[in-house]
Amino acid sequence: MFERTIDSNGWGRCSGATPAGGRFTVHDHGAHITEWKPAVDAEPVLWTSPNARFEQGAAIRGGIPICFPWFANGRKDNKTPAHGFARLLQWQLLSGKEAGGVTTLRWRLDETMITDLEAVDPGRNRFELEVTQTFGEDLTVRLSLRNTDAAPLVVEEALHTYLTVGDINEVSVHGLSGVEYLDKLTSRYDTQIGAVEFDGEVDRIYWLNTPVEVHDPVLNRRIILTTGRSDNTIVWNPGPDKSAGFSDMPDDAWRSMACVETANVRDRAVHLNPGQAHELTLTITTAPL
Ligand code: TA6
């Protein structure tokens, strides 16, 4: 079950409980999930900054930002705002349904809902984007895109998931061994050997679409991310220096979060002919370590 409230800044949000007493919260702004935990006694699975900005034109730091129609500054590194405009806009809540204590919310965005689109993204196609979020013992997010234009559509997309961890220095990310990645800190390509571990900033784009597990010995937890029609996984932690530069993030917060992102970016951008559709899916589950 869920309730719909309006924040002091006039934004709508939906929040509710999961069958095992967990919690979830989603904002109209970006259809942005900022909270989910599966059970009453569970640690939050998603991390959202205590200094996150809930302001017009600002991206909420944490949760699951929806990056669309480009990732970072786009394939040619010439687009702003970073990670596209979808996470900065008010999405339309289409429906909220509950069955057996599991709540499913559906949100919608199209090009008519983008203020000064020509300024933001000249020549942008007409498109229809829907996100369906199911909050139960697991969290499932389905990002469905349809090209409603008469011309081909090419977009990047990502579910930029921020996860809560006990101590990033003790965390390891499994499932990427042997996979090629681009290290954005050095702009060099390399191949992952073993688990991903963190010692300072990590910012890597992997080319794969298999389940990834975050092992957290401090919280004694595995977070398992299973994806569909996603060709990239991005692993990011800002480390102390970049974290100190974010006004919407406490200086030491980098220790308590890790981003494992589900995406189609760069040469794996989504190409849709008129009328074609594509659905990116993510399921997050937790288990003891
Ligand atoms: O996904 C990793 C990344 O592209 C990093 O390079 C960093 O910029 C991060 O996203 C956060 O981006 P944001 O625009 O949310 O601050």
Side-chain angles (χ1 to χ4, degrees), residues 61 71-72 82-83 87 160 162 184 203 234 236 242 246 261:
R61 173 78 59 197
F71 181 80
H83 292 326
R87 65 176 180 168
H160 193 298
Y162 286 73
K184 285 179 63 180
D203 193 352
I234 293 124
W236 177 61
K242 186 163 276 185
F246 289 146
E261 302 158 38

mmCIF file of all heavy atoms in Angstrom, residues 61 71-72 82-83 87 160 162 184 203 234 236 242 246 261, ligand 1:
data_model
loop_
_atom_site.group_PDB
_atom_site.id
_atom_site.type_symbol
_atom_site.label_atom_id
_atom_site.label_comp_id
_atom_site.label_asym_id
_atom_site.label_seq_id
_atom_site.Cartn_x
_atom_site.Cartn_y
_atom_site.Cartn_z
ATOM 1 N N ARG A 61 20.450 13.653 -5.259
ATOM 2 C CA ARG A 61 21.684 12.845 -5.066
ATOM 3 C C ARG A 61 21.337 11.561 -4.318
ATOM 4 O O ARG A 61 21.115 11.559 -3.094
ATOM 5 C CB ARG A 61 22.713 13.650 -4.280
ATOM 6 C CG ARG A 61 23.938 12.869 -3.876
ATOM 7 C CD ARG A 61 24.927 12.669 -4.975
ATOM 8 N NE ARG A 61 25.401 13.926 -5.520
ATOM 9 C CZ ARG A 61 26.024 14.023 -6.704
ATOM 10 N NH1 ARG A 61 26.212 12.945 -7.432
ATOM 11 N NH2 ARG A 61 26.423 15.184 -7.159
ATOM 12 N N PHE A 71 23.975 9.762 -21.283
ATOM 13 C CA PHE A 71 24.666 9.415 -20.036
ATOM 14 C C PHE A 71 25.875 10.332 -19.893
ATOM 15 O O PHE A 71 26.539 10.632 -20.902
ATOM 16 C CB PHE A 71 25.110 7.944 -20.064
ATOM 17 C CG PHE A 71 25.803 7.519 -18.812
ATOM 18 C CD1 PHE A 71 25.072 7.187 -17.684
ATOM 19 C CD2 PHE A 71 27.201 7.481 -18.748
ATOM 20 C CE1 PHE A 71 25.711 6.814 -16.509
ATOM 21 C CE2 PHE A 71 27.847 7.101 -17.587
ATOM 22 C CZ PHE A 71 27.093 6.772 -16.462
ATOM 23 N N ALA A 72 26.144 10.762 -18.661
ATOM 24 C CA ALA A 72 27.229 11.752 -18.447
ATOM 25 C C ALA A 72 26.966 12.929 -19.388
ATOM 26 O O ALA A 72 25.869 13.489 -19.373
ATOM 27 C CB ALA A 72 28.589 11.098 -18.634
ATOM 28 N N ALA A 82 24.288 17.071 -17.312
ATOM 29 C CA ALA A 82 24.873 15.740 -17.157
ATOM 30 C C ALA A 82 23.766 14.726 -16.916
ATOM 31 O O ALA A 82 22.813 14.990 -16.179
ATOM 32 C CB ALA A 82 25.854 15.730 -15.985
ATOM 33 N N HIS A 83 23.862 13.592 -17.577
ATOM 34 C CA HIS A 83 22.925 12.476 -17.446
ATOM 35 C C HIS A 83 21.544 12.773 -17.989
ATOM 36 O O HIS A 83 20.577 12.062 -17.681
ATOM 37 C CB HIS A 83 22.819 12.002 -15.988
ATOM 38 C CG HIS A 83 24.076 11.359 -15.479
ATOM 39 N ND1 HIS A 83 24.920 10.597 -16.252
ATOM 40 C CD2 HIS A 83 24.652 11.384 -14.245
ATOM 41 C CE1 HIS A 83 25.939 10.185 -15.527
ATOM 42 N NE2 HIS A 83 25.813 10.649 -14.308
ATOM 43 N N ARG A 87 15.766 13.133 -15.356
ATOM 44 C CA ARG A 87 15.783 13.126 -13.882
ATOM 45 C C ARG A 87 15.500 14.507 -13.286
ATOM 46 O O ARG A 87 15.430 14.667 -12.070
ATOM 47 C CB ARG A 87 17.115 12.580 -13.362
ATOM 48 C CG ARG A 87 18.317 13.451 -13.693
ATOM 49 C CD ARG A 87 19.597 12.898 -13.048
ATOM 50 N NE ARG A 87 20.755 13.750 -13.367
ATOM 51 C CZ ARG A 87 21.915 13.647 -12.760
ATOM 52 N NH1 ARG A 87 22.100 12.741 -11.817
ATOM 53 N NH2 ARG A 87 22.928 14.436 -13.082
ATOM 54 N N HIS A 160 20.849 4.796 -12.466
ATOM 55 C CA HIS A 160 22.107 5.176 -11.794
ATOM 56 C C HIS A 160 21.999 4.859 -10.290
ATOM 57 O O HIS A 160 22.034 5.767 -9.455
ATOM 58 C CB HIS A 160 22.310 6.667 -12.039
ATOM 59 C CG HIS A 160 23.676 7.191 -11.709
ATOM 60 N ND1 HIS A 160 24.227 7.162 -10.451
ATOM 61 C CD2 HIS A 160 24.604 7.817 -12.473
ATOM 62 C CE1 HIS A 160 25.422 7.736 -10.469
ATOM 63 N NE2 HIS A 160 25.676 8.124 -11.674
ATOM 64 N N TYR A 162 22.252 4.138 -6.501
ATOM 65 C CA TYR A 162 23.122 4.376 -5.336
ATOM 66 C C TYR A 162 22.739 3.370 -4.256
ATOM 67 O O TYR A 162 21.571 3.328 -3.829
ATOM 68 C CB TYR A 162 22.898 5.781 -4.781
ATOM 69 C CG TYR A 162 23.465 6.947 -5.564
ATOM 70 C CD1 TYR A 162 22.904 7.373 -6.757
ATOM 71 C CD2 TYR A 162 24.546 7.664 -5.062
ATOM 72 C CE1 TYR A 162 23.412 8.470 -7.443
ATOM 73 C CE2 TYR A 162 25.067 8.769 -5.733
ATOM 74 C CZ TYR A 162 24.491 9.163 -6.931
ATOM 75 O OH TYR A 162 25.003 10.262 -7.598
ATOM 76 N N LYS A 184 37.237 5.620 -16.474
ATOM 77 C CA LYS A 184 37.000 7.030 -16.827
ATOM 78 C C LYS A 184 38.005 7.944 -16.144
ATOM 79 O O LYS A 184 38.153 9.107 -16.499
ATOM 80 C CB LYS A 184 35.562 7.430 -16.473
ATOM 81 C CG LYS A 184 34.536 6.872 -17.452
ATOM 82 C CD LYS A 184 33.109 7.245 -17.086
ATOM 83 C CE LYS A 184 32.822 8.709 -17.117
ATOM 84 N NZ LYS A 184 31.401 9.008 -16.749
ATOM 85 N N ASP A 203 35.569 4.772 -11.188
ATOM 86 C CA ASP A 203 34.551 5.218 -12.145
ATOM 87 C C ASP A 203 34.771 4.425 -13.433
ATOM 88 O O ASP A 203 35.609 4.774 -14.258
ATOM 89 C CB ASP A 203 34.698 6.725 -12.408
ATOM 90 C CG ASP A 203 33.480 7.294 -13.140
ATOM 91 O OD1 ASP A 203 32.609 6.496 -13.574
ATOM 92 O OD2 ASP A 203 33.394 8.532 -13.260
ATOM 93 N N ILE A 234 27.944 0.166 -14.817
ATOM 94 C CA ILE A 234 28.887 1.214 -14.409
ATOM 95 C C ILE A 234 29.062 1.128 -12.900
ATOM 96 O O ILE A 234 28.065 0.988 -12.163
ATOM 97 C CB ILE A 234 28.366 2.613 -14.820
ATOM 98 C CG1 ILE A 234 28.355 2.720 -16.352
ATOM 99 C CG2 ILE A 234 29.245 3.714 -14.236
ATOM 100 C CD1 ILE A 234 27.041 3.071 -16.957
ATOM 101 N N TRP A 236 30.739 3.091 -9.630
ATOM 102 C CA TRP A 236 31.274 4.402 -9.274
ATOM 103 C C TRP A 236 31.244 4.618 -7.773
ATOM 104 O O TRP A 236 30.261 4.290 -7.108
ATOM 105 C CB TRP A 236 30.461 5.519 -9.947
ATOM 106 C CG TRP A 236 30.916 6.912 -9.563
ATOM 107 C CD1 TRP A 236 32.154 7.451 -9.789
ATOM 108 C CD2 TRP A 236 30.151 7.911 -8.882
ATOM 109 N NE1 TRP A 236 32.208 8.734 -9.293
ATOM 110 C CE2 TRP A 236 30.991 9.048 -8.725
ATOM 111 C CE3 TRP A 236 28.840 7.984 -8.414
ATOM 112 C CZ2 TRP A 236 30.557 10.217 -8.122
ATOM 113 C CZ3 TRP A 236 28.402 9.135 -7.785
ATOM 114 C CH2 TRP A 236 29.268 10.243 -7.646
ATOM 115 N N LYS A 242 36.424 13.880 -4.548
ATOM 116 C CA LYS A 242 35.255 14.310 -5.334
ATOM 117 C C LYS A 242 34.045 14.504 -4.401
ATOM 118 O O LYS A 242 33.262 15.433 -4.567
ATOM 119 C CB LYS A 242 34.946 13.291 -6.432
ATOM 120 C CG LYS A 242 33.847 13.724 -7.387
ATOM 121 C CD LYS A 242 33.815 12.938 -8.682
ATOM 122 C CE LYS A 242 34.790 13.474 -9.716
ATOM 123 N NZ LYS A 242 34.664 12.773 -11.026
ATOM 124 N N PHE A 246 31.105 17.882 -3.643
ATOM 125 C CA PHE A 246 29.663 17.869 -3.871
ATOM 126 C C PHE A 246 28.961 18.580 -2.717
ATOM 127 O O PHE A 246 29.013 18.143 -1.566
ATOM 128 C CB PHE A 246 29.141 16.427 -3.961
ATOM 129 C CG PHE A 246 29.539 15.686 -5.218
ATOM 130 C CD1 PHE A 246 29.775 14.316 -5.169
ATOM 131 C CD2 PHE A 246 29.674 16.338 -6.431
ATOM 132 C CE1 PHE A 246 30.135 13.614 -6.319
ATOM 133 C CE2 PHE A 246 30.042 15.653 -7.592
ATOM 134 C CZ PHE A 246 30.272 14.286 -7.537
ATOM 135 N N GLU A 261 25.407 0.702 -11.697
ATOM 136 C CA GLU A 261 24.411 1.287 -12.599
ATOM 137 C C GLU A 261 24.125 0.353 -13.779
ATOM 138 O O GLU A 261 25.052 -0.289 -14.296
ATOM 139 C CB GLU A 261 24.954 2.635 -13.098
ATOM 140 C CG GLU A 261 25.268 3.590 -11.955
ATOM 141 C CD GLU A 261 26.263 4.667 -12.340
ATOM 142 O OE1 GLU A 261 26.179 5.142 -13.477
ATOM 143 O OE2 GLU A 261 27.115 5.035 -11.515
HETATM 144 O O1 TA6 B 1 28.030 7.141 -13.226
HETATM 145 C C1 TA6 B 1 29.246 7.699 -12.825
HETATM 146 C C2 TA6 B 1 29.231 9.187 -13.143
HETATM 147 O O2 TA6 B 1 29.144 9.414 -14.520
HETATM 148 C C3 TA6 B 1 30.468 9.816 -12.511
HETATM 149 O O3 TA6 B 1 31.401 10.174 -13.493
HETATM 150 C C4 TA6 B 1 29.897 10.995 -11.730
HETATM 151 O O4 TA6 B 1 29.799 12.148 -12.551
HETATM 152 C C5 TA6 B 1 28.542 10.418 -11.333
HETATM 153 O O5 TA6 B 1 28.086 9.809 -12.531
HETATM 154 C C6 TA6 B 1 27.588 11.382 -10.691
HETATM 155 O O6 TA6 B 1 27.004 12.172 -11.645
HETATM 156 P P1 TA6 B 1 25.973 13.323 -11.112
HETATM 157 O O7 TA6 B 1 25.639 14.116 -12.312
HETATM 158 O O8 TA6 B 1 24.790 12.592 -10.535
HETATM 159 O O9 TA6 B 1 26.716 14.059 -10.037
#
